[in-house]
């Protein structure tokens, strides 16, 4: 796992995150080594509280590690300042959260163009890209709707579009279907599958074995440590067949 | 460009989503900017009527007086003197009209025409034998108009006219011309005035012959100088005549406008403080809800600078609107307060907004917004992104001793103390807000009592009315803003405590217990604030006003004990009434709603 191949896009070594101190010390992530290749889809599973979200936050520069290294696209990011991290988050990383985290006061298209505007793109270009992405996630006709006017699945698709707007090197998704019913889950899964085929690097944290089955690689965590790693053959071809059972 | 668009869009949308809060914010800043505008505009306009009068009546740079014309002779031809009139004889007398008597200074002048000091007749004509002209403010104060019959030193006179001059300040600040001592304001009770001393004298003109018959005691000489600063060299020379400079006369002439202006400026400061308190609470209360928004912005790549800009822009927008509206309202209402009085020509009219006034008001409004938002904005911008995303509310602080101390109290009081202890800083802001208000009310009470005494501070009835109006405006705005403040604080407390309140109810407290607790949590600080607002707040504020105005605080009586007790009790009652509404609404929300809202 800790082999340093030149092509890896995301790399972590000896990564640790601790909360509290003394007797209350909690090692949420406890020495993780990880390499993710460009274009690879990695699923992370494990029991609640084992440190999956924490790991994802560390990899995407949302949080700073207590120790170890994080590399993204050849650059080390664990020591970056708040401003540099912000720049990184809007250019190299796209986040998708379980609870969508859309701006309630902005319409779908405005939510999508948010990151583009933050990245300094012109209003016109941002709007064009946002509209395009909404089309791609199948929401071209709902561009002017507020999040409160959209269903959960639609909201998550808006969030995915937002994550893609700056063409990030990697998309990090934390239980993207955790709040969705099975039909909406299928929708979002189809979207991730499309991304996978298009060569987008993806790291998905999930509780759902059927999602994990679509990945190239499945990591299992327990108590802050990666305890198992499985290469999946079905994943690379992007078969959604494993999900057939969802439609009941 | 895109980022500016984004920041503006987020600020506007957020304001639109919370119209009530936006309105409260606007009101808070508006009160301060309006008062400040009034204060500044009045300062600019206070001197205008005097200068106007001076220009129209060829007012002197210096008025000299001495017992004999000989003492003045040398000065009329001194180097640097460009024009002169006089010496004119001066007498003193007592004027009786409609059952009242009043001391007067009499100047003998046969014609208005002179190179210096040409009083402008505003009613009737100029002096003639047996006909006198009365200084305009004096005439207004005693209701004299052309044609009225009066007696002067026991002889009958007719009022030939009313006129305005720049050689004396208008009644009751009449400049004591001639070497005649006079007393302005209230004489010490029971004290006998030294013989010859005039008390609140008015100014009248007679013919020289008529004045001579009253007994001339002095002479006045009006001079225009090449360089007004030269006047200083006339003072202090050996056996110098008495000198009144035009600058001194102007100071006396504009005293009321000046006093109004000082009151307004102090009011503006108080309101500014209140506005900062209101804003801090609103911003602080909203920061809690905004944390998630901030986390989200940061997660998608907003730098701390962008996040701070988004948070600040909202308040800066409100401040700008408040500044513009305050400037408008202030300029519009200023003429009501800038009554120049009858003694000067050309009322203050519509005092114009000058660039410095606009700049100052806008600057102060922006400063208020920045002051109230900078700290929370900075803190939010720096906070951990993950924590912000995960959890909306700032964890309340706990003051352990307060919570322990409250354990044995009845339920509502216990809950109130706990609610207060959860947010010590907000409780402090509440105390400060009430203290500022009560301090202002304390001073208003003293000043009002002071103004109720006739001629108390040497003001005329009309001037007292003007000052009363200023005081009333002051008090009303202060009370409104304090009310806004109380509601804002309760709202924030209700929002903050909905979870606790729901839990308390889930565990058996009645909605009434919770309402009582939430509103009690406001009354405790209100009581503390009311007491502190009287002492040291109001006391120090009054001393400060006296210090600035050069007033004599000893002449004012402090409010009586019952007045103070009423103020404290009323404060508590009003706060209770104002806060009961949001508290009641908060307490009656369905329990499950509140518990669910927390996790949504
Ligand atoms: N801010 C924090 N302070 C203290 N402990 C924390 C904090 N955030 C997370 N933890 C702890 O770190 C551990 C890992 O949390 P994490 O959220 O990464 O788990 P997870 O695997 O994502 O769980 P889930 O599947 O329930 O989302 C947990 O024990 C959690 O309690
Ligand atoms: Mg998680």
């Amino acid at each position: 796992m800790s082999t340093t191949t030149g092509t890896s896009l995301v790399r972590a070594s000896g990564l640790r995150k601790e909360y509290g101190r003394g007797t209350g010390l909690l090692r949420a992530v406890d020495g993780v080594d990880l390499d993710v290749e460009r274009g690879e889809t990695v699923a992370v599973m494990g029991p609640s509280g084992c440190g999956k979200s924490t790991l994802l936050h560390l990899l995407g520069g949302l949080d700073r590690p207590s120790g170890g290294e994080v590399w993204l696209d050849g650059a080390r990011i664990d020591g970056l300042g708040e401003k540099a991290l912000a720049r990184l988050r809007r250019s190299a990383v796209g986040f998708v959260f379980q609870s969508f985290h859309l701006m309630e006061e902005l319409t779908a298209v405005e939510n999508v163009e948010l990151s583009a505007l933050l990245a300094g793109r012109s209003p016109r270009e941002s709007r064009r890209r946002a509209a395009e992405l909404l089309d791609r996630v199948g929401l071209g006709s709902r561009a002017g709707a507020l999040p409160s006017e959209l269903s959960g699945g639609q909201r998550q698709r808006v969030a995915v579009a937002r994550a893609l707007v700056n063409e990030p090197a990697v998309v990090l998704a934390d239980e993207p279907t955790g709040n969705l019913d099975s039909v909406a889950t299928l929708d979002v899964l189809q979207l991730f599958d499309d991304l996978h085929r298009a060569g987008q690097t993806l790291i998905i944290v999930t509780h759902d074995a059927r999602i994990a089955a679509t990945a190239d690689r499945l990591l299992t965590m327990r108590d802050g440590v990666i305890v198992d790693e499985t290469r999946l053959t079905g994943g690379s071809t992007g078969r959604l067949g494993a999900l057939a059972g969802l439609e009941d | 460009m895109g980022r500016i668009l984004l920041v503006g869009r987020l600020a506007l949308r957020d304001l639109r989503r919370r119209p009530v809060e936006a309105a409260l914010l606007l009101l808070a800043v508006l009160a301060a900017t309006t008062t400040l505008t009034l204060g500044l505009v009045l300062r600019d306009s206070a001197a205008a009527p005097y200068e106007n009068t001076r220009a129209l009546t060829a007012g002197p740079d210096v008025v000299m007086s001495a017992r004999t014309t000989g003492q003045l002779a040398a000065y009329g031809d001194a180097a640097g003197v460009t024009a002169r009139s006089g010496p004119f004889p001066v007498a003193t007398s007592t004027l009786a009209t409609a059952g009242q008597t009043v001391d007067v200074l009499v100047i003998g002048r046969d014609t208005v025409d002179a190179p210096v000091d040409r009083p402008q007749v505003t009613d009737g004509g100029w002096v003639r034998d047996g006909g006198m002209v009365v200084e305009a403010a004096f005439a207004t104060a005693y209701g004299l108009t052309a044609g009225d019959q009066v007696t002067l030193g026991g002889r009958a006179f007719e009022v030939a006219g009313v006129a305005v001059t720049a050689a004396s300040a208008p009644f009751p600040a009449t400049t004591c011309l001639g070497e005649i001592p006079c007393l302005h304001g209230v004489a010490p009770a029971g004290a006998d005035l030294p013989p010859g001393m005039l008390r609140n004298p008015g100014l009248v003109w007679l013919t020289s012959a008529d004045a001579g018959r009253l007994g001339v005691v002095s002479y006045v000489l009006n001079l225009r100088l090449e360089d007004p600063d030269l006047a200083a060299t006339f003072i202090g020379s050996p056996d110098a005549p008495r000198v009144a400079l035009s600058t001194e006369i102007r100071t006396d002439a504009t005293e009321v406008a000046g006093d109004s202006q000082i009151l307004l400026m102090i009011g503006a400061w108080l309101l500014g403080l209140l506005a900062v308190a209101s804003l801090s609470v609103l911003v602080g209360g909203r920061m809690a809800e905004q944390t998630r928004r901030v986390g989200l912005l940061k997660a998608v790549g907003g730098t701390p600078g962008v996040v701070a800009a988004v948070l600040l822009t909202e308040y800066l927008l409100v401040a700008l609107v408040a500044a513009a509206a305050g400037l408008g309202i202030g300029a519009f209402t200023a003429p009501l307060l800038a009554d120049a009085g009858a003694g000067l020509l050309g009322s203050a009219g519509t005092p114009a907004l000058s660039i410095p006034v606009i700049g100052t008001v806008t600057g102060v409004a922006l400063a208020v917004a920045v002051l109230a938002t900078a700290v929370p904005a900075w803190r939010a911008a720096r906070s951990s992104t993950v924590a912000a995303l995960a959890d909306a509310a700032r964890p309340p602080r706990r003051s352990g001793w307060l919570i322990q101390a409250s354990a044995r109290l009845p339920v509502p009081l216990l809950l109130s103390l706990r609610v207060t202890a959860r947010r010590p800083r907000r409780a402090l802001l509440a105390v400060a807000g009430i203290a500022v208000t009560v301090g202002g009310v304390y001073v208003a009470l003293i000043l009002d009592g002071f103004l109720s005494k006739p001629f108390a501070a040497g003001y005329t009835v009309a001037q007292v009315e003007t000052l009363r109006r200023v005081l009333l405006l002051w008090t009303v705005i202060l009370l409104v803003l304090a009310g806004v403040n109380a509601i804002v604080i309760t709202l924030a407390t209700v929002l903050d405590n909905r979870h606790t309140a729901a839990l308390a109810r889930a565990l058996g407290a009645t909605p009434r217990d919770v309402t009582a607790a939430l509103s009690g949590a406001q009354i405790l600080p209100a009581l503390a604030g009311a007491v502190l607002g009287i002492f040291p707040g109001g006391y120090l504020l009054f001393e400060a006003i006296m210090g600035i105005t050069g007033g004599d605080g000893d002449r004012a009586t402090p409010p009586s004990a019952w007045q103070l007790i009423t103020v404290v009790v009323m404060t508590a009652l009003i706060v209770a009434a104002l806060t009961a509404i949001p508290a009641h609404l908060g307490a009656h929300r369905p329990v499950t709603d509140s518990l669910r809202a927390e996790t949504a």
Side-chain angles (χ1 to χ4, degrees), chain A residues 19 26 28 47-54 175 207:
Chain A
Y19 293 109
L26 187 128
S48 181
C50 70
K52 306 181 294 291
S53 299
T54 307
E175 300 188 37
H207 278 300

Side-chain angles (χ1 to χ4, degrees), chain A residues 19 57 62-63 82-83 86-87 89-90 95 97 101-107 110 113-115 117-123 127 162, chain B residues 1-3 5-6 9-10 13-14 17 292-304 306 381-386 389-390:
Chain A
Y19 293 109
H57 295 154
L62 269 188
D63 212 351
E82 194 58 39
K83 211 164 158 183
R87 230 173 278 133
R89 289 194 292 260
R90 71 188 176 216
F95 278 102
F97 300 96
H101 286 323
L102 298 177
M103 287 263 178
E104 290 301 321
E105 69 265 36
L106 299 184
T107 61
E110 286 169 347
E113 71 185 4
L114 186 70
S115 303
L117 290 172
L118 281 173
R121 291 180 199 246
S122 75
R127 178 56 59 103
R162 182 182 63 191
Chain B
M1 185 62 219
R3 254 169 255 164
L5 169 84
L6 184 68
R9 176 191 285 165
L10 287 172
R13 295 285 173 81
D14 197 47
R17 249 162 71 89
R292 198 198 303 258
R293 212 164 155 250
V294 167
L296 199 160
L297 260 180
K298 295 175 80 176
V300 298
T303 55
V306 169
R382 293 268 140 195
S383 66
S384 147
T385 310
V386 177
L389 272 178

Side-chain angles (χ1 to χ4, degrees), chain B residues 41 92 114 205 278 351 371 407 478 543 556 563 593:
Chain B
V41 163
T92 63
W205 292 271
S278 287
L371 213 65
L478 204 59
E543 291 300 311
Q563 269 178 322
D593 251 24

